[in-house]
């Protein structure tokens, strides 16, 4: 299994809602990532978990809250988002995250619209 | 700081013709270079990487890329384009000597359109 699975594929939420994005991989990877991608732009790194510990937070607003319950799962909790947060949210994984030559495996993303 | 430039927003090529998608990079040390492809409404897929060794790297789906240190380039190539190659292509770089080896810096992307 070489897949990273993200749910839901699409999400529409109001600015007062609370929702969560989920990501799962069963490749035994120990590093997991959240990226944000605006249309026709490159992905922007948000968070990195390595061995289930938060390693990098790229100055992401607190309305985004990541969680890594175990080595296979990664969540992104959303609360009080703004319309400008509408984007494709991509999850990725790599073997350890500690080696610069590792390739990333990406999920298909969650297309988020904030109304 | 590391950076990647993809000078072309869009590349059009006729089916069966060779294609090139350009990428130049800037890092303080020796770069680790990657190409990823993104199809509409999908995540990115790894195509190939250069770490060390042979300057010509072969990857998935018949793609290859040539690392040129003197020109700080890593252009993606394919001898014969297919319509199914139409997608958004991202070049990316990591500086393994940098403080954050997690940091994969992407170029802005090049949209490839293969015309039947």
């Amino acid at each position: 299994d070489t897949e990273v699975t993200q749910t839901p594929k699409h999400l529409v939420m109001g600015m007062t809602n609370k929702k969560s994005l989920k990501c799962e991989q069963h490749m035994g990877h120990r590093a997991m990532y959240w990226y944000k991608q605006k249309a026709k732009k490159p992905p922007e790194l948000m968070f990195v978990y390595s061995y289930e510990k938060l390693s990098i937070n790229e100055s992401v607003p607190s309305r985004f809250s990541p969680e890594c319950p175990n080595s296979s799962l990664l969540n992104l909790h959303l609360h009080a988002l703004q319309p400008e947060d509408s984007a494709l949210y991509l999850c990725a994984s790599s073997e350890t995250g500690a080696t610069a030559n590792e390739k990333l495996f990406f999920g298909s993303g969650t297309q988020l619209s904030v109304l | 700081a590391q950076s990647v430039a993809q000078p072309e927003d869009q590349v059009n090529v006729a089916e069966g013709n060779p294609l090139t998608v350009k990428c130049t990079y800037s890092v303080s040390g020796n770069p680790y270079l990657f190409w990823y492809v993104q199809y509409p409404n999908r995540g990115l897929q790894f195509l190939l990487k250069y770490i060390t060794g042979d300057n010509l790297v072969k990857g998935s789906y018949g793609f290859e890329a040539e690392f040129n240190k003197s020109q700080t380039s890593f252009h993606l190539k394919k001898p014969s384009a297919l319509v199914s190659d139409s997608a958004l292509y991202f070049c990316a770089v990591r500086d393994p000597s940098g403080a954050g080896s997690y940091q994969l810096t992407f170029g802005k992307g090049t949209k490839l359109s293969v015309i039947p």
Side-chain angles (χ1 to χ4, degrees):
Chain A
D1 184 359
T2 58
E3 279 195 351
V4 176
T5 304
Q6 290 187 245
T7 55
K9 294 191 182 303
H10 303 274
L11 179 63
V12 179
M13 60 186 291
M15 289 189 285
T16 59
N17 292 157
K18 287 185 180 180
K19 297 287 184 182
S20 296
L21 309 184
K22 296 188 177 184
C23 174
E24 190 169 4
Q25 58 86 16
H26 296 287
M27 295 177 279
H29 288 176
R30 303 310 301 270
M32 297 186 77
Y33 309 73
W34 280 115
Y35 282 86
K36 174 183 177 180
Q37 186 181 24
K38 290 280 200 178
K40 301 181 181 180
K41 298 291 185 182
E44 299 174 359
L45 183 64
M46 300 175 71
F47 302 104
V48 180
Y49 274 84
S50 180
Y51 292 86
E52 300 150 54
K53 294 184 178 179
L54 184 64
S55 299
I56 291 180
N57 176 340
E58 288 291 328
S59 302
V60 179
S62 60
R63 56 185 184 270
F64 296 91
S65 176
E67 178 195 20
C68 189
N70 60 56
S71 60
S72 299
L73 295 174
L74 184 66
N75 299 321
L76 186 62
H77 303 297
L78 313 173
H79 174 55
L81 294 192
Q82 303 297 311
E84 59 264 28
D85 296 323
S86 299
L88 181 68
Y89 288 83
L90 293 166
C91 175
S93 70
S94 66
E95 287 190 18
T96 68
T99 308
N101 64 356
E102 291 178 5
K103 64 182 182 183
L104 298 180
F105 292 76
F106 282 86
S108 295
T110 295
Q111 187 65 55
L112 174 67
S113 296
V114 181
L115 305 179
Chain B
Q2 58 198 38
S3 65
V4 174
Q6 292 181 245
E8 301 153 319
D9 290 336
Q10 177 144 359
V11 170
N12 297 321
V13 62
E15 186 177 23
N17 281 4
L19 70 86
T20 299
V21 182
K22 295 180 179 178
C23 171
T24 59
Y25 65 89
S26 174
V27 298
S28 57
N30 292 319
Y32 288 177
L33 294 157
F34 303 78
W35 276 101
Y36 286 83
V37 59
Q38 186 174 30
Y39 297 98
N41 302 313
R42 300 297 300 274
L44 281 70
Q45 296 178 31
F46 170 80
L47 280 179
L48 50 80
K49 66 179 178 181
Y50 172 81
I51 304 302
T52 187
D54 194 347
N55 289 343
L56 185 63
V57 179
K58 294 188 182 297
S60 306
Y61 313 121
F63 284 93
E64 59 188 27
E66 186 167 10
F67 172 65
N68 188 317
K69 188 172 184 177
S70 62
Q71 297 185 6
T72 62
S73 67
F74 189 56
H75 301 330
L76 182 69
K77 301 181 179 183
K78 187 174 182 180
S80 178
L82 300 173
V83 172
S84 57
D85 293 329
S86 299
L88 188 58
Y89 289 80
F90 290 100
C91 182
V93 66
R94 268 200 185 120
D95 181 357
S97 64
S101 63
Y102 299 110
Q103 299 287 13
L104 186 63
T105 300
F106 288 93
K108 65 179 182 179
T110 298
K111 182 179 179 182
L112 174 68
S113 293
V114 180
I115 303 160

